[in-house]
Amino acid sequence: MFRKTSTLIAFITFIIVSAAYANDPIKKGIILGKVKEAGSNVPVEYATVSIFDQASHTLIGGTVTNLEGMFVVKNIPEGMFTVEISFIGFQKNIIDGVEIGKPNYKANLGEVELSTDAEVLDAVEVVGTQNSVTYDIDKKVVNVGTQFAAMSGTAVDILENIPSVTVDGDGNVSLRGSSGFTVLIDGRPSVLDASEALQQIPASTIENIELITNPSAKYDPDGTAGIINIITKKNKLEGVNGVANFNVGRYGRIGGDFLLNFRKKKWNYYIGANYNKRPGPGSYKSERRTTTNDTTSYVISDGERERTFEVMGIQAGAEYSISDNDFIKLSGRVGDFKMYGGMDANFYEYQQIGGSDQPINETEYISSEYWQRGGLYYSANLAYQHKFKDKKGHTLDAMVDYGGRDMTESSINELYPKDASGVIAENPTSGQRSTEIGPGGRLRAKIDYTLPIGKTDKFEAGWQTRWNKSQDINEVYNYDVSTGDYVFAPDYSFTTNYTQTIHSLYGMYAGKVGNFGYQGGLRAEYTGRNINLEGTEEDYPVDQWNVFPTIHLSYGLPKEDQLMLSYSRRIERPRGYYLEPFVTWQDAFNVRRGNPALLPENIDSFDFGYLKGLGEKATLSFDAYYRMTQNKIERVQSVWSEGVILHTYENVGTDYALGFELSLNYNPVKWWTIDLMGNLYDYRVEGELEGQSFDRQSLNWSSRFNNTFRLTKQTQLQINSRYTGPTVTAQGENEGYYMMTAALKHNMMKKKLTITASMNDVLGTAVRKSTSEGVGFNNYTEDFRYAQYFTMTFTYRLNNFKPSRRGPSGGGGGMDDF
């Protein structure tokens, strides 16, 4: 909070002092320098630099320092001036007698030192807000601290309230309409699938979220829509400090987490743990029609549905400054992730033959379903950084990351008939039970080298190897009515082995000429993959090279406005279970089969961004994007047998997405902050499926309208509204829906304790309806997760406001970038 507040004050001050001199045409001098902490070489970023006329003390101009502590104030008239440099937690440095005039119109103040002052810090109380989303040349950064309405949830709850992202009823995330994206945690990939990883990270442990829609060549090229990078909290204060959260809510929701940090001289240790149980009861309705020959079968169902996410984990790490130029960090985490639920639904089933409207073979029964997925996951990371002494920013980084998981998935579905009077039978008439055991491991090693060239340019290069190995053991059992036991079904039980190795090399060059910034990169990857089905001689190997170019351009306009343009080529490789070459039952009405012949998706992505400052109270950003995906992979459905649907995956053709996003941050008054966001895009997919045209098109849109009200210095109210418009799917359409959440936050005990009360779906309007249809079938569903989830969250901070003696940047030497 200290760092965020300081940045906010510096930014507001910069806007004010810039406005004071922006329209004076006769100013022409320059005052520059570098700000660092007294007693060290640590630069002080975001320090406020104000220029005053020495005689009248009239404000002439100003700025804030950059990441290296540098500042330049231009357009200063002739005269004698006083320079004041300040930052929260430091004593103000006042420099008198700075002269601008003939023959020297440049005043270089050199290195200016600021001394820490705890008394200054204790006396300051900041009342203000921070932009929920900020922008960089290649990414959007979501400030999680502004989204306190979602702090009792997970990363998914945060993402629901930001641009570019939509979330379905099962918590699956889409980035700009695509579920193909990569999730990183502190720059490292998770051992879990993307949606699972986002569901297991508590929102209270997240510092910010980076949305990288056009990543540079330095990043892995995996993911249709780009990368979501979760940056977790890292306390930079000296001594012992930490934060703990506890939440409890309706329907049995409970959770908690803590992060404890100890920093002393060259050492830093941290340990944290979390537990979160988030039940999601609701209702589900379905109407399915399938046609085979002249017989049409109907299955209509409705029932109460339960979905629960339960996660627990522990993380720990140690950092050591070997010298001023060498740093090493060892960290790891281990946890248990579970998703489970079920439904007891009323089913009504009948048939019609030869176009007759009369139902025949009518039956009613109860379908009892239970499923669970989860298991142990773990990871360990060793990172090293060397800073060369010849110039700042000249670094060599190395990392080894190992992780694995031991996941198990199981489900059971049983049908209990009803008689004419509605009495339910004691024993099922049919049932299926399936299990899937999927142990897997991965190893990643990489080296990155950065070489600054001149004052503004730099060259980067690196090497990386990724190795993945997993095994899926699938077993299916069918219910035997005569014995009441489940019997192993060998025709639907298989063991699949999956291995993949990817070797990568990349190079990048970035620079700046005046207001024009540029960055170009090229990445080459070799992929070797094989899938083997045990008990057969079937292998499905892949052996190929791919090249991925990236370009990022920016141009600085007056008044801190900025234009950004980027291009990247990316790849989306099929997930392991997309490729499993066998049929297995999911329940009594659905079977699944992978497709080992799937080709990877190849994506060309273009982005254009414009960031506009609208005075002191508002910031406007505009993003236009175009994405073309070849070999588009879609989950498709077809009739397997009477009343049963087959789910599989196909390369259906090419899809196109052309759209724009608009985001406005506005402070109409000091106690009210508005975030208004919208996304509108035209989506088309062109191809063939089962010999028929697969061409589809829709105009998709979504919006966010978030309001934060500062009721008192210690109390804030937040009301977030979002609407997700209708969109086409592979074989149908999802209807639009609206949702509102609200939260009240109150600080106590000098901000050491914070209490937040929140409620989701206040109006109970988030009903997700969808339709799908294809050759011989039509399916309609309604999924509603119960509304008015009320949750109380308690946050306690230990020594949260003690200033670091290493300066505001923490002296971490860039280790947080690993």
Side-chain angles (χ1 to χ4, degrees), residues 311-527:
V311 297
M312 63 183 69
I314 185 169
Q315 59 176 320
E319 302 176 23
Y320 178 64
S321 300
I322 302 173
S323 68
D324 290 340
N325 300 300
D326 295 274
F327 304 88
I328 191 168
K329 178 180 178 179
L330 177 64
S331 61
R333 66 174 64 217
V334 62
D336 186 73
F337 175 73
K338 294 179 182 177
M339 298 185 296
Y340 53 90
M343 179 172 67
D344 288 335
N346 295 294
F347 273 72
Y348 171 50
E349 186 175 351
Y350 65 93
Q351 296 175 337
Q352 294 175 342
I353 298 179
S356 170
D357 292 335
Q358 295 300 317
I360 62 173
N361 300 329
E362 296 178 88
T363 57
E364 291 189 54
Y365 50 86
I366 296 293
S367 173
S368 179
E369 172 189 344
Y370 180 80
W371 59 269
Q372 65 177 6
R373 171 179 169 81
L376 182 72
Y377 66 92
Y378 53 90
S379 65
N381 180 270
L382 178 65
Y384 168 78
Q385 182 181 76
H386 173 72
K387 291 184 174 183
F388 296 90
K389 296 181 180 180
D390 56 345
K391 62 180 65 178
K392 184 176 179 63
H394 188 190
T395 60
L396 178 68
D397 299 300
M399 184 189 77
V400 177
D401 189 80
Y402 175 76
R405 62 180 185 179
D406 192 5
M407 291 291 176
T408 300
E409 183 174 356
S410 64
S411 66
I412 184 170
N413 179 263
E414 296 177 328
L415 304 183
Y416 294 83
K418 288 183 179 180
D419 61 22
S421 60
V423 177
I424 303 171
E426 293 184 2
N427 298 313
T429 56
S430 67
Q432 288 85 32
R433 192 179 74 199
S434 63
T435 62
E436 180 176 344
I437 301 173
R442 58 145 176 83
L443 177 68
R444 175 185 299 246
K446 60 183 294 188
I447 297 176
D448 297 301
Y449 175 72
T450 303
L451 174 65
I453 300 174
K455 294 183 178 180
T456 59
D457 294 11
K458 67 177 178 179
F459 170 75
E460 295 181 80
W463 159 87
Q464 178 179 257
T465 289
R466 290 184 278 167
W467 172 84
N468 296 274
K469 183 177 182 180
S470 63
Q471 183 181 65
D472 288 317
I473 304 170
N474 294 270
E475 295 182 349
V476 175
Y477 298 80
N478 291 321
Y479 183 74
D480 188 328
V481 178
S482 61
T483 64
D485 296 325
Y486 279 87
V487 180
F488 181 65
D491 291 342
Y492 298 101
S493 303
F494 302 90
T495 298
T496 308
N497 297 305
Y498 177 95
T499 59
Q500 179 173 268
T501 302
I502 301 175
H503 302 291
S504 310
L505 287 171
Y506 78 89
M508 293 170 46
Y509 190 91
K512 191 174 184 180
V513 179
N515 292 329
F516 176 70
Y518 58 91
Q519 175 182 278
L522 187 67
R523 187 183 186 96
E525 287 196 346
Y526 165 77
T527 302

Side-chain angles (χ1 to χ4, degrees), residues 149 717-720 740-744 757-762:
L717 172 67
Q718 188 169 91
I719 300 176
N720 295 342
M740 175 189 291
T741 61
L744 185 68
S758 60
M759 179 180 290
N760 82 319
D761 196 9
V762 176

Side-chain angles (χ1 to χ4, degrees), residues 101-175:
K102 297 179 181 180
N104 186 9
Y105 284 90
K106 179 186 288 188
N108 190 342
L109 304 183
E111 292 187 345
V112 180
E113 294 186 343
L114 294 182
S115 300
T116 56
D117 188 343
E119 292 182 2
V120 171
L121 181 64
D122 292 338
V124 173
E125 182 171 4
V126 179
V127 178
T129 57
Q130 187 175 2
N131 285 359
S132 60
V133 182
T134 57
Y135 294 79
D136 205 342
I137 187 172
D138 62 350
K139 61 191 172 187
K140 297 177 184 177
V141 182
V142 181
N143 174 26
V144 173
T146 65
Q147 296 294 331
F148 61 83
M151 292 309 289
S152 64
T154 66
V156 172
D157 299 284
I158 297 292
L159 290 168
E160 283 185 321
N161 293 300
I162 65 174
S164 308
V165 175
T166 55
V167 181
D168 69 13
D170 292 320
N172 298 311
V173 175
S174 296
L175 180 58

Side-chain angles (χ1 to χ4, degrees), residues 527-798:
T527 302
R529 189 201 75 197
N530 189 48
I531 299 173
N532 170 260
L533 193 62
E534 287 190 5
T536 72
E537 296 182 358
E538 297 181 55
D539 285 309
Y540 303 90
V542 170
D543 186 11
Q544 65 181 23
W545 280 91
N546 295 98
V547 177
F548 306 98
T550 64
I551 299 173
H552 292 80
L553 306 173
S554 67
Y555 187 78
L557 299 172
K559 299 182 181 179
E560 301 301 313
D561 296 352
Q562 192 173 27
L563 295 174
M564 292 163 283
L565 179 66
S566 62
Y567 162 78
S568 70
R569 184 165 178 82
R570 303 187 58 74
I571 190 171
E572 176 71 357
R573 299 176 174 92
R575 301 175 185 178
Y577 61 87
Y578 284 16
L579 304 168
E580 295 173 341
F582 53 83
V583 173
T584 186
W585 285 87
Q586 294 178 282
D587 55 43
F589 309 100
N590 298 277
V591 295
R592 182 185 68 194
R593 180 178 62 201
N595 180 1
L598 282 178
L599 299 173
E601 296 179 342
N602 294 310
I603 305 101
D604 291 282
S605 177
F606 299 84
D607 265 26
F608 171 78
Y610 175 49
L611 186 61
K612 172 70 175 176
L614 302 175
E616 301 177 16
K617 294 185 176 182
T619 302
L620 178 70
S621 68
F622 172 85
D623 293 275
Y625 57 92
Y626 175 72
R627 186 180 69 236
M628 179 176 67
T629 304
Q630 298 174 335
N631 304 324
K632 175 65 177 176
I633 297 174
E634 289 279 9
R635 182 178 181 179
V636 297
Q637 304 173 57
S638 60
V639 178
W640 170 257
S641 62
E642 190 174 288
V644 179
I645 294 294
L646 168 68
H647 303 264
T648 188
Y649 304 89
E650 297 285 350
N651 293 113
V652 299
T654 304
D655 79 349
Y656 309 85
L658 174 65
F660 67 88
E661 297 173 339
L662 198 65
S663 179
L664 174 68
N665 178 265
Y666 180 47
N667 292 94
V669 290
K670 65 180 182 180
W671 48 266
W672 182 16
T673 299
I674 296 173
D675 285 304
L676 181 62
M677 296 161 277
N679 181 25
L680 174 70
Y681 67 98
D682 178 74
Y683 177 77
R684 288 185 299 124
V685 58
E686 299 175 351
E688 285 190 356
L689 182 65
E690 296 182 350
Q692 297 187 6
S693 172
F694 194 73
D695 295 359
R696 304 183 66 82
Q697 186 273 338
S698 69
L699 187 65
N700 304 333
W701 68 282
S702 61
S703 63
R704 312 282 195 275
F705 184 42
N706 301 340
N707 292 268
T708 303
F709 305 93
R710 183 173 292 276
L711 306 181
T712 69
K713 290 183 179 181
Q714 306 299 334
T715 307
Q716 296 182 65
L717 172 67
Q718 188 169 91
I719 300 176
N720 295 342
S721 300
R722 63 184 175 94
Y723 177 77
T724 301
T727 180
V728 296
T729 59
Q731 293 174 288
E733 180 181 22
N734 293 332
E735 297 185 17
Y737 66 92
Y738 169 80
M739 175 185 280
M740 175 189 291
T741 61
L744 185 68
K745 182 176 78 171
H746 181 69
N747 293 317
M748 304 171 63
M749 300 168 57
K750 296 182 179 180
K751 296 187 178 179
K752 287 188 175 183
L753 177 65
T754 300
I755 301 176
T756 305
S758 60
M759 179 180 290
N760 82 319
D761 196 9
V762 176
L763 304 179
T765 53
V767 182
R768 295 166 172 87
K769 303 177 181 180
S770 63
T771 302
S772 60
E773 58 184 348
V775 178
F777 78 93
N778 179 279
N779 193 45
Y780 170 79
T781 63
E782 288 186 14
D783 189 1
F784 177 61
R785 185 171 297 185
Y786 288 159
Q788 288 95 39
Y789 255 116
F790 180 77
T791 307
M792 293 289 294
T793 303
F794 303 86
T795 301
Y796 181 78
R797 303 171 185 87
L798 175 66

Side-chain angles (χ1 to χ4, degrees), residues 271-321:
I271 185 171
N274 67 280
Y275 172 79
N276 206 346
K277 183 178 181 181
R278 303 177 65 240
S283 62
Y284 185 82
K285 297 180 180 179
S286 173
E287 297 180 9
R288 174 181 293 180
R289 184 188 74 239
T290 58
T291 301
T292 54
N293 299 321
D294 64 343
T295 301
T296 301
S297 300
Y298 295 85
V299 179
I300 302 172
S301 66
D302 67 88
E304 300 298 305
R305 186 174 182 176
E306 173 69 40
R307 252 184 315 242
T308 299
F309 296 90
E310 187 172 4
V311 297
M312 63 183 69
I314 185 169
Q315 59 176 320
E319 302 176 23
Y320 178 64
S321 300

